């Protein structure tokens, strides 16, 4: 086999890898105010492959309690903005899904979910490539436990 054939195979393989990058994740918001993965393991970070242009996060609320008691959402913002968003969300209250309407500091967010409900957000990877973005739940009192880092690599 000639050198060019090998080179060609190499290009095909790397194209394949880029295509195979997992650009979506399913996560869960639990009864115990945790984000978990499909295996039930607690999540404190989500690694986003830099090869993805968009990354989809689907949150499902696995709690059995009412949305007003154990609602969960998934909000993305710069680390330094999280506390302010949570504070303004608390003031906005449950009727506004614990987020100030049209809060410009919020990059993306799901709806506030009740038991068994799901929602998906799509993150434009270019917009968070610089790093320093976190995800959290803005439900009153949840952010201290439901909070993690987005890592693009
Ligand atoms: Cu929550």
């Amino acid at each position: 086999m000639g050198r060019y054939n090998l080179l060609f195979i190499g290009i095909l393989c790397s194209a394949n890898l880029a295509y195979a990058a997992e650009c979506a994740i399913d996560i869960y918001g639990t009864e115990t105010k945790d984000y978990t993965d499909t295996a039930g393991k607690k999540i404190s970070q989500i690694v986003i492959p830099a090869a993805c242009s968009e990354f989809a996060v689907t949150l499902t609320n696995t709690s059995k309690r009412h949305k007003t008691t154990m609602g969960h959402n998934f909000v993305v913002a710069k680390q330094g903005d999280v506390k302010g968003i949570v504070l303004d969300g608390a003031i906005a209250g449950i009727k506004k899904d614990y987020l100030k309407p049209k809060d410009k500091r919020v990059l993306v967010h799901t709806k506030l979910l009740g038991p068994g409900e799901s929602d998906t957000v799509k993150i434009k990877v270019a917009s968070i490539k610089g790093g320093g973005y976190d995800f959290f739940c803005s439900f009153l009192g949840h952010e201290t436990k439901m909070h993690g880092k987005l890592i693009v690599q």
Side-chain angles (χ1 to χ4, degrees):
M1 194 180 286
R3 184 199 290 184
Y4 292 107
N5 282 336
L6 282 175
L7 183 67
F8 183 63
I9 288 165
I11 289 167
L12 279 181
C13 286
S14 54
N16 243 337
L17 281 175
Y19 183 73
E22 200 58 67
C23 298
I25 190 174
D26 289 326
I27 65 168
Y28 304 87
T30 72
E31 188 73 25
T32 52
K33 294 182 226 169
D34 292 305
Y35 287 123
T36 62
D37 62 16
T38 23
K41 197 168 159 268
K42 284 184 197 180
I43 292 175
S44 58
Q45 64 174 50
I46 294 174
V47 176
I48 298 176
C52 300
S53 59
E54 259 190 353
F55 189 83
V57 179
T58 299
L59 173 68
T60 301
N61 185 346
T62 59
S63 167
K64 303 255 188 290
R65 285 191 273 172
H66 195 268
K67 179 173 153 179
T68 54
T69 311
M70 195 51 73
H72 297 304
N73 63 6
F74 179 90
V75 184
V76 174
K78 281 204 158 141
Q79 272 156 27
D81 288 335
V82 174
K83 293 292 177 197
I85 292 167
V86 167
L87 193 66
D88 287 342
I91 293 164
I94 184 84
K95 285 193 174 142
K96 303 285 184 199
D97 284 3
Y98 288 113
L99 281 176
K100 184 173 101 179
K102 294 182 178 150
D103 192 328
K104 287 195 171 65
R105 296 165 296 183
V106 171
L107 192 72
V108 291
H109 69 89
T110 66
K111 320 180 279 198
L112 187 69
L113 303 170
E117 292 181 333
S118 296
D119 193 20
T120 302
V121 289
K122 285 179 180 169
I123 301 163
K124 286 190 173 26
V125 178
S127 64
I128 61 163
K129 244 172 193 155
Y133 282 85
D134 283 7
F135 63 88
F136 60 96
C137 175
S138 71
F139 191 100
L140 189 66
H142 285 198
E143 176 268 333
T144 44
K145 279 197 82 191
M146 302 181 79
H147 189 162
K149 287 185 191 317
L150 291 178
I151 295 162
V152 181
Q153 67 181 27

